[in-house]
Amino acid sequence: MTAVMLWTEVRRSPLRWWLPVLIALDVAMLFGRSTWWIGVWPEASAAAQLPAYFFGMVLGGGAAWTAGRVHRAGIAEQLAAAARLRWPAELLLLSSTLIYGLVAYAPGVMIAAVVSAPHAGPGFLWLSYLGIGVCLVVLSASAGHLAGKLWSSRFVPPIAVAICLFGQTVLRPVRFYVLSGHVQVEIAATAFATRFAFALVMAVLAVTIPARAVHRDTRGTPAGVLRPLAAVTVMAGLVMIAMAGPLQVTRAAPSQPLCSAAKPRVCLWPEEGRYVGLVSAMAARLAALPGGGLKLPETFYEAGLRDPAIPDAAADFRLLEGGVSVPSFLSSAVLNSTLPVCDVPAANSEKFTHEAFRLDAYLQVRSYGTAEALGSGGGPPGVDMREIADVAHRPERVQAQWVSDRLAAIRRAGENCRDR
């Protein structure tokens, strides 16, 4: 009987008309920002959960409109005075809303898995990220349901949407979503547990608080204190979430990183195996410059694989946005090994910095193969990018001489220079 009643609520819910919109939002946000997450399981998992933030706002508004039908029908007082308990019917109503929310959430998760599987290494989508998305769906639906039940105004649905947007955007310590799932971090167990518990509490409040809790109760019945009690509960839950700490915490480095066989080696987190060839090619282009002017590290490490206390670990590369950022980190590592240690007089400081900037820009362009490595900013300040692009396309011996000239200029600008 309960299943039949639930199916009835699902069929009559106004969200049935909005389901295509929710699914479209889910898929659009999955691919709308970028696709560099494809093939890296933690990144794909984070990308799959993020759309819940966007369509969750619409879901909250729909839940408010659905729950407010008793006010529009003018039967709120009759239902409040009825002998039968109201919460089972409210549970069915909220459940129907959650079904639509989870159905809209599922396509993005499945698509993220399908498009990542051909490129990714061992493993699968991380349940912790997907679970955060489910918590956000439950929270959005429950908050909207409660608002629609307690307030009869037709403006409640858009207000519920605005509150969801404002709260999740501004209140960073209590966010229920992450923007990225880079391999160096993971979901903290305590932070997840508090958010999961808070979402369940909101669902319980949405189901159990009667609609007449907003009306003055002169008889002193429990209904008269439910609203302030619920407010205290919500505030206490938010405080506990904030006290639980950040949603993402640093992961322990793997005991066996994924390293290339070629020299110089590059070592990455195992989840980012699809990028081994890309980064190895960048390192190889730097190593191929003749003349011995550049001193490359024996191994380039991805950030997080080494102890931060190691002096040169700060230059370890990060795979941001599909590897476009890697050349800047590789350049920094090469410069740290190549540039001499000098005392630079104040009068020569500008010259010293300018030559180092020119060399830095060149190394980025050479490692990546094009000037796109420098992004839309066009390279370091004061560097003539036309010159850098011209040098990077000259014969190898000409490029080697240009690098040698830059290093000589840096030594001339300094005093007491010595190799590292």
Side-chain angles (χ1 to χ4, degrees):
M1 183 66 177
T2 302
V4 174
M5 296 175 63
L6 177 59
W7 177 241
T8 301
E9 290 291 356
V10 171
R11 286 190 304 157
R12 69 190 294 191
S13 173
L15 285 171
R16 68 186 186 277
W17 306 113
W18 286 91
L19 182 59
V21 176
L22 296 178
I23 294 177
L25 281 173
D26 186 15
V27 177
M29 290 311 306
L30 181 64
F31 293 102
R33 295 194 307 157
S34 64
T35 56
W36 51 265
W37 50 267
I38 294 175
V40 181
W41 288 125
E43 290 283 11
S45 305
Q49 63 81 38
L50 184 58
Y53 164 63
F54 295 94
F55 77 73
M57 294 183 290
V58 179
L59 181 68
W65 180 264
T66 302
R69 68 188 184 189
V70 295
H71 300 294
R72 295 191 299 274
I75 59 173
E77 294 298 332
Q78 292 92 320
L79 290 175
R84 297 186 62 179
L85 294 174
R86 177 62 184 163
W87 72 263
E90 294 289 347
L91 178 59
L92 290 175
L93 187 60
L94 178 60
S95 297
S96 69
T97 301
L98 288 174
I99 287 174
Y100 280 105
L102 295 176
V103 167
Y105 183 54
V109 174
M110 292 186 290
I111 291 173
V114 169
V115 299
S116 290
H119 310 283
F124 197 60
L125 295 174
W126 290 17
L127 294 181
S128 55
Y129 284 116
L130 304 184
I132 285 295
V134 171
C135 289
L136 185 52
V137 169
V138 175
L139 178 64
S140 300
S142 301
H145 184 97
L146 185 59
K149 185 168 65 170
L150 295 183
W151 286 275
S152 59
S153 172
R154 293 178 182 269
F155 295 103
V156 165
I159 291 175
V161 171
I163 291 176
C164 289
L165 173 63
F166 179 81
Q168 286 295 306
T169 302
V170 177
L171 303 178
R172 183 182 296 271
V174 296
R175 283 182 179 177
F176 275 67
Y177 67 91
V178 298
L179 294 174
S180 175
H182 52 276
V183 295
Q184 289 85 359
V185 299
E186 61 187 354
I187 296 292
T190 304
F192 177 83
T194 54
R195 284 163 172 79
F196 178 78
F198 184 76
L200 289 183
V201 168
M202 285 298 298
V204 171
L205 293 177
V207 168
T208 57
I209 291 182
R212 70 175 185 175
V214 297
H215 300 303
R216 181 171 303 187
D217 189 356
T218 58
R219 296 172 297 175
T221 59
V225 299
L226 284 178
R227 186 170 61 165
L229 179 61
V232 171
T233 302
V234 171
M235 292 302 299
L238 293 175
V239 170
M240 290 183 63
I241 290 175
M243 293 177 61
L247 186 53
Q248 291 174 302
V249 294
T250 302
R251 290 177 67 195
S255 57
Q256 295 291 332
L258 183 62
C259 298
S260 66
K263 299 290 184 179
R265 294 196 313 162
V266 298
C267 291
L268 289 77
W269 288 73
E271 292 86 353
E272 297 196 297
R274 66 171 300 186
Y275 293 115
V276 169
L278 174 68
V279 182
S280 294
M282 293 181 186
R285 283 191 285 269
L286 292 174
L289 189 70
L294 298 178
K295 298 178 182 177
L296 275 66
E298 293 184 0
T299 304
F300 292 97
Y301 291 93
E302 186 176 4
L305 293 177
R306 298 195 292 170
D307 188 336
I310 297 176
D312 60 345
D316 290 349
F317 66 88
R318 290 184 177 272
L319 275 163
L320 304 176
E321 299 187 2
V324 177
S325 62
V326 172
S328 65
F329 291 101
L330 299 187
S331 173
S332 296
V334 173
L335 290 177
N336 285 343
S337 301
T338 302
L339 291 183
V341 179
C342 301
D343 299 324
V344 183
N348 297 344
S349 177
E350 183 176 349
K351 176 64 174 178
F352 185 94
T353 302
H354 179 67
E355 293 295 346
F357 278 174
R358 293 172 72 190
L359 188 55
D360 178 38
Y362 164 77
L363 293 177
Q364 292 186 53
V365 172
R366 179 175 176 86
S367 64
Y368 196 68
T370 70
E372 293 179 6
L374 299 172
S376 58
V383 175
D384 185 352
M385 289 310 303
R386 289 175 297 182
E387 176 201 11
I388 300 300
D390 178 62
V391 170
H393 288 88
R394 291 181 180 181
E396 295 284 88
R397 59 179 181 79
V398 177
Q399 295 185 47
Q401 184 60 51
W402 187 89
V403 170
S404 178
D405 291 343
R406 301 287 72 71
L407 293 173
I410 287 173
R411 286 184 176 274
R412 289 194 299 270
E415 295 179 351
N416 303 319
C417 292
R418 58 192 184 278
D419 293 331
R420 295 178 185 270

